[in-house]
Amino acid sequence: MPKVLFAVSEVHPLIKTGGLADFAGSLPVALQELRHDVRLVLPAYRPVLAQARAWRVVARLELPGQQASILEGALPGTRVTCWLVHAPKWFDRPGGPYTDASGHDWPDNAARYALFAHAVTRLALGQTGLNWRARVVHCNDWQTGLVPALLSREADRPATLFTIHNLAYQGLFPAAQFPALHLPAALWGHDGLEFHGQLSFIKGGLIYADRINTVSPTYAEEITTSALGYGLEGLIKHRAAHVSGILNGVDYRVWDPARDLLIIRNYSSADLAHKAANKQWLQQHCALPVQERIPLIGMVGRLVEQKGIDMLLAALPQLVQLPLQLVLLGSGARPFEDALQDWARRYPQRLSVHIGYSEELAHRIEAGSDMFLMPSRFEPCGLNQLYSLRYGTVPIVRRTGGLADTVLDASADHLKQGRATGIVFSEEGGAALLHAVRRALDLFSHPPTWRALMLAGMRQDYSWGTSARRYSALYQQAIAARR
Ligand code: ADP
Ligand code: GLC
C-alpha cells in the first residue's frame, strides 16, 4: 500500500473548529486499518503543543527565509504517526487556528499556511533527514492548497489528491502578498494561483492536484453550478474527469450512544428507553420544563450563513408559539449570536442558546434531543446529521449536499417501506423550515411512526470502511495519473 502524507489544518482531538477535524481524526485511522502507511501533518498551534509536551523533535528544516522543526508523536487515542510543523512565530500564539480570540482572521494567514505548505512539501519529498517519502499527498481545503502547486514543480514527486471540504473558504489574499511567500514566479497567472487579481490558495489544489474530490456526491455536482461554485465552477468543470464525491464516514468510537463517554446514560436501539435520561438532563441543564412528551429539537454548529441561521431566525416568531423546545449550541457571526440570545431571553421556556464551543454539550445535545435541525444553505457533507441518525435523534435537514445524500425523507412511500430516516425540505427560507418542523411534530405525535423513524436511522452504517476504500482507490488513480 502506498505511503500517504495527510496534510490538514485541524484534527480531532488535538484541535478542532468543525467537521474537518473529525474527518482528519478518523480517515487516517481507517486507512491504517487498510494497511496504508499514513502520516498526518499539521501546524503546531499553541493548544496542540500543550498536548504534545512529550513529543520529540525529529527534524529541523531550513525553509525559504525561515526555520521550522518537526515534532513527532502519535495522534492521541490512535497509532497514527503525527508530525507537527513547529514554527513558533506563526503558530504558537493564543486564539484559534485561523482567527484571533475575537474571531478576526489572522492578518498573516497567507504567510502562515505558505510556510506550512513549504514544510509539507519537504516532508513529502523526503528532504528532511527522516527516512520516509510519500507516494501520495492528501491535501485538505485551502490551507494546504499550495502543496500540490509547489510539488508540481518537482520532476520526481508524489501524486496529489486535493479534498474540498468547503469551497466557500478559498484562502484569498491581496496579490501584493505573493512575493513574500517564496513561491516560484511561474505559479502566478490566470492558469495558476491568480483569481481575479487576487492570490487564491485553493486554486493551487484545484489546478495542480492529480485528483480532486469533495465530501459528498451531491456537493460534487453542486460546485459545478454558479450558485455554489463561487466563480470556480468553470475550473471545476474543466477538471470534471478528475473530480469525484466521497461521503464522509463517522468515527463510531467517538460518536455512538452505546459507548459515548460524554453522555449521561448510554443506550442503543435495544434499550432505547435509556435515551430519556439524556433528554431529562438536557432539559434540566437548559432550565427548560422537564417534560418527556414535549419534542426537543437540538442544533449544534457554526453560526454562519452556510448553516441557515437566518432561516431559523426568520421562523423563530412562529416556532416559539409551537409546543416544542429548542436547544442550540454554537458560535460564529456576532449578529446571529446576539439575535439568538435575545430570543432565548424572551422565551426561556422554549429556547435555550449556548454561545461557545463544548464537545461535551455537543454530545449531550445529540443524545438528549428528539430531533436535530440542519437548515443549511449548502452542506458539503455535514456530520451532525450522521451523528443524529446513530443517536436516534431524527434529523430535519435541507435537501443539499451531503444532507441530501444521507437523509431519506419521511414521505408516505418511504415510511411504508420502513426506509425513512428524517424530514427533508427543499426551499430556502423561514416558511419552508417552519413547515418541515410542523411535519416533524406531526410524526412525533404518533409514537409508533416516530419510533420506526428513529430505528431506521440508528440502523444506518456510515462507518469509514467503505469510504476509506474509495480514498484508497483514488490514491491509486492519482498514482497512475502521475505515471
Ligand atoms: P462544519 O464542518 O461545516 O462546521 P460538520 O457538520 O461537518 O460542519 O461538522 C461540525 C462538527 O463540529 C461536529 O462534530 C459538531 O459537533 C462540531 N461543532 C460545531 N460547532 C460546535 C460547538 N459550538 N461546540 C461543539 N462542537 C461543535
Ligand atoms: C466542511 C463542511 C462540512 C463537512 C466538513 C468535513 O467543514 O462544511 O459539510 O462535513 O467539512 O468534511
Side-chain angles (χ1 to χ4, degrees):
M1 285 293 188
K3 293 189 161 80
V4 183
L5 182 60
F6 192 98
V8 72
S9 57
E10 54 181 271
V11 58
H12 178 78
L14 292 173
I15 182 129
K16 169 168 167 180
T17 71
L20 177 60
D22 290 354
F23 174 91
S26 48
L27 173 58
V29 178
L31 288 168
Q32 204 173 44
E33 278 160 19
L34 297 179
R35 305 199 170 286
H36 283 283
D37 174 357
V38 44
R39 311 284 165 110
L40 252 166
V41 55
L42 84 152
Y45 309 108
R46 180 167 294 179
V48 174
L49 282 169
Q51 297 165 76
R53 290 215 179 84
W55 295 25
R56 54 201 181 94
V57 176
V58 291
R60 291 186 202 282
L61 308 187
E62 287 296 332
L63 298 172
Q66 51 210 307
Q67 295 169 326
S69 49
I70 304 296
L71 301 175
E72 182 179 297
L75 181 69
T78 76
R79 284 182 294 122
V80 175
T81 299
C82 184
W83 286 324
L84 302 178
V85 175
H86 186 35
K89 176 179 168 201
W90 303 114
F91 301 122
D92 186 4
R93 48 173 81 163
Y98 322 122
T99 63
D100 62 21
S102 57
H104 297 106
D105 283 351
W106 292 113
D108 53 0
N109 269 344
R112 298 170 73 232
Y113 289 104
L115 171 97
F116 181 56
H118 281 295
V120 171
T121 304
R122 294 287 179 81
L123 285 163
L125 292 167
Q127 297 174 347
T128 54
L130 291 167
N131 185 22
W132 195 90
R133 194 187 150 91
R135 276 306 286 290
V136 183
V137 187
H138 185 164
C139 301
N140 297 279
D141 274 357
W142 73 263
Q143 294 87 347
T144 57
L146 295 183
V147 175
L150 283 169
L151 284 172
S152 74
R153 313 285 303 163
E154 303 287 332
D156 183 20
R157 65 163 177 91
T160 50
L161 169 67
F162 185 74
T163 300
I164 305 169
H165 297 267
N166 196 332
L167 194 65
Y169 300 107
Q170 303 181 356
L172 286 178
F173 302 96
Q177 296 197 12
F178 183 81
L181 304 182
H182 306 281
L183 301 169
L187 292 179
W188 188 253
H190 294 299
D191 50 356
L193 300 176
E194 183 183 350
F195 186 63
H196 300 294
Q198 287 189 290
L199 163 62
S200 163
F201 274 43
I202 204 168
K203 270 188 82 188
L206 301 182
I207 289 187
Y208 298 103
D210 297 307
R211 285 291 181 277
I212 299 167
N213 82 298
T214 69
V215 287
S216 69
T218 294
Y219 191 61
E221 293 290 324
E222 290 170 337
I223 56 176
T224 63
T225 67
S226 57
L228 291 179
Y230 302 96
L232 292 164
E233 61 273 14
L235 172 55
I236 289 166
K237 272 192 272 193
H238 174 71
R239 296 221 53 196
H242 299 148
V243 181
S244 57
I246 301 179
L247 267 182
N248 287 337
V250 174
D251 188 344
Y252 289 125
R253 294 170 312 158
V254 181
W255 291 99
D256 182 345
R259 48 184 148 158
D260 189 329
L261 299 172
L262 298 174
I263 64 178
I264 298 304
R265 175 112 199 227
N266 290 113
Y267 63 92
S268 67
S269 46
D271 48 17
L272 206 44
H274 293 163
K275 185 170 164 62
N278 293 289
K279 177 169 178 177
Q280 201 178 36
W281 179 90
L282 191 58
Q283 288 172 323
Q284 264 159 3
H285 177 75
C286 296
L288 294 166
V290 179
Q291 291 170 16
E292 202 179 329
R293 282 306 302 155
I294 189 160
L296 198 168
I297 306 179
M299 227 174 142
V300 178
R302 296 178 296 114
L303 302 179
V304 295
E305 278 250 328
Q306 174 192 347
K307 302 294 177 182
I309 305 302
D310 51 323
M311 299 184 213
L312 172 68
L313 285 168
L316 268 178
Q318 280 87 31
L319 281 178
V320 293
Q321 305 301 331
L322 296 175
L324 56 75
Q325 299 176 341
L326 182 66
V327 173
L328 181 147
L329 164 66
S331 64
R334 244 336 251 286
F336 287 151
E337 294 181 350
D338 292 346
L340 288 165
Q341 280 181 311
D342 194 45
W343 276 100
R345 268 191 294 275
R346 288 163 57 196
Y347 293 90
Q349 305 275 309
R350 290 268 176 263
L351 186 58
S352 173
V353 170
H354 306 256
I355 300 301
Y357 191 92
S358 164
E359 202 68 42
E360 180 177 273
L361 187 56
H363 281 248
R364 291 182 179 188
I365 290 176
E366 282 291 3
S369 304
D370 297 298
M371 314 165 180
F372 197 94
L373 182 59
M374 293 179 79
S376 303
R377 195 153 255 118
F378 67 94
E379 195 62 78
C381 178
L383 292 170
N384 275 118
Q385 84 282 11
L386 301 180
Y387 304 154
S388 300
L389 289 170
R390 180 52 61 110
Y391 282 72
T393 304
V394 177
I396 306 172
V397 304
R398 238 198 103 230
R399 193 186 311 281
T400 181
L403 301 176
D405 291 340
T406 56
V407 182
L408 195 61
D409 183 57
S411 66
D413 275 353
H414 293 154
L415 280 172
K416 215 181 308 153
Q417 297 156 356
R419 298 199 301 141
T421 55
I423 291 91
V424 186
F425 65 102
S426 299
E427 298 296 311
E428 287 191 12
L433 188 156
L434 187 67
H435 181 70
V437 170
R438 284 216 166 94
R439 278 185 67 208
L441 299 192
D442 267 354
L443 292 161
F444 185 81
S445 69
H446 189 252
T449 309
W450 192 256
R451 197 180 154 80
L453 261 180
M454 291 169 74
L455 291 174
M458 295 176 90
R459 276 196 304 271
Q460 304 299 307
D461 182 2
Y462 286 100
S463 49
W464 264 107
T466 311
S467 295
R469 273 189 293 280
R470 297 214 164 105
Y471 275 101
S472 186
L474 207 46
Y475 296 157
Q476 297 297 350
Q477 283 182 30
I479 290 168
R482 175 74 197 105
R483 277 196 218 107

